[in-house]
Amino acid sequence: MIDHALQTALRAARVASILLRKNFPRTQRVTMKDQHNVVTSTDRASERAILKVLKRAFPKSSSFAEESGHAGSHSHPTWIVDPLDGTTNFSHHFPYFGVSIALVQDDKILLGVVANPMLRETYWATAKGPAFCNGKRIHIHNCVPSRAVISMSRGGNPQSKHRTALLLPKLTKKIRTFRFHGAAALELCDVAMGHADGFLGIDMQAYDIAAGMLIAQRAGAKILNAQRKPWSFSWKPSSVAVGNPLLTKTLASIF
């Protein structure tokens, strides 16, 4: 089942990647989902394309997608989909965005696929295997916290912004520098690939991080939650620290 599911997720990610490349950098009609989050017609088109591929192969599965929400029961295998991770980047013609697809059952992530359409990179991992990028095994970069470059991401609500602002002075004393790239799934894959040393996420939604977290974990990353305990999948927003064991412990200490 896992091999079939992985091939299906990879196919769905390819379909979505083609669509995103086709629509970038065309001017998008941008609307506000709420006071803090934007959506484009490409988000919705990508989500429809992904779910069509997934549902055709697994008609009895459920889904939790960013634009359409929950469909089905969590008691069934559930596809978690972010059809356009980095919508703000996409709508501003900044070429750092991606596609994120995970399969979850019994609150366990079975597989994760993340695609970077513009770099034509596809990352994937299963719960019992290593992490890959374009078919090559990948592993995190190990370094001491004082030399670390980390990526950061946060939820779009005012509370998340406020929490992040409070953490930054503590963070700058622990590491060398940090970056906000605006696409959490890709940022987690950057950690898995060794392009970044760690990741700090504040109030991240399941569709933001599920696939990327598994990929980073299978590439050797340790993950702690805001309570400084080992992270486990949650349907609710969660804050996470990701990196090598010492770096992760250091990042989690500032929560």
Side-chain angles (χ1 to χ4, degrees):
M1 180 251 189
I2 291 298
D3 287 343
H4 180 38
L6 176 60
Q7 293 306 313
T8 300
L10 288 168
R11 186 165 63 252
R14 285 194 297 270
V15 169
S17 293
I18 292 170
L19 189 152
L20 296 184
R21 284 196 298 270
K22 179 181 178 182
N23 287 348
F24 183 84
R26 297 179 181 178
T27 300
Q28 298 287 311
R29 181 180 179 184
V30 179
T31 57
M32 302 297 295
K33 288 192 291 187
D34 53 44
Q35 187 178 354
H36 311 287
N37 296 288
V38 300
V39 64
T40 71
S41 57
T42 301
D43 290 76
R44 297 189 174 100
S46 177
E47 184 167 295
R48 288 192 299 269
I50 291 168
L51 293 177
K52 182 178 180 180
V53 173
L54 300 178
K55 288 291 187 178
R56 182 178 295 167
F58 293 89
K60 295 182 180 180
S61 63
S62 302
S63 63
F64 176 38
E66 180 173 8
E67 306 310 329
S68 57
H70 292 273
S73 170
H74 289 333
S75 63
H76 295 140
T78 302
W79 294 103
I80 300 182
V81 176
D82 189 340
L84 177 44
D85 176 45
T87 299
T88 297
N89 291 346
F90 183 85
S91 65
H92 282 73
H93 301 173
F94 179 60
Y96 189 84
F97 53 84
V99 177
S100 178
I101 303 170
L103 181 62
V104 172
Q105 186 170 21
D106 299 326
D107 292 342
K108 303 292 184 183
I109 308 173
L110 303 182
L111 65 86
V113 172
V114 175
N116 184 328
M118 303 311 292
L119 293 182
R120 298 179 186 267
E121 292 178 339
T122 302
Y123 300 84
W124 71 88
T126 60
K128 296 183 179 181
F132 296 89
C133 177
N134 290 357
K136 296 182 179 181
R137 288 187 63 169
I138 56 176
H139 199 276
I140 65 168
H141 179 237
N142 287 299
C143 75
V144 295
S146 61
R147 297 187 63 185
V149 177
I150 73 160
S151 288
M152 293 188 68
S153 193
R154 57 167 174 74
N157 58 71
Q159 292 79 14
S160 298
K161 293 180 182 180
H162 181 65
R163 287 189 62 202
T164 303
L166 292 177
L167 292 178
L168 288 179
K170 302 177 185 178
L171 178 65
T172 55
K173 297 177 182 178
K174 303 283 188 179
I175 64 164
R176 181 159 71 90
T177 190
F178 59 89
R179 301 286 186 266
F180 283 95
H181 293 307
L186 292 184
E187 292 173 85
L188 284 161
C189 290
D190 285 339
V191 175
M193 192 76 169
H195 291 161
D197 300 305
F199 174 84
L200 194 66
I202 312 301
D203 299 333
M204 307 307 300
Q205 298 284 352
Y207 48 73
D208 291 322
I209 62 172
M213 292 287 263
L214 179 65
I215 293 166
Q217 192 172 49
R218 300 310 300 174
K222 182 176 181 180
I223 305 173
L224 296 177
N225 61 23
Q227 290 71 46
R228 304 173 193 175
K229 296 180 179 180
W231 178 83
S232 59
F233 174 79
S234 173
W235 296 101
K236 298 179 180 180
S238 57
S239 297
V240 294
V242 184
N244 70 59
L246 179 58
L247 177 58
T248 298
K249 183 178 179 180
T250 300
L251 294 176
S253 71
I254 72 171
F255 280 129

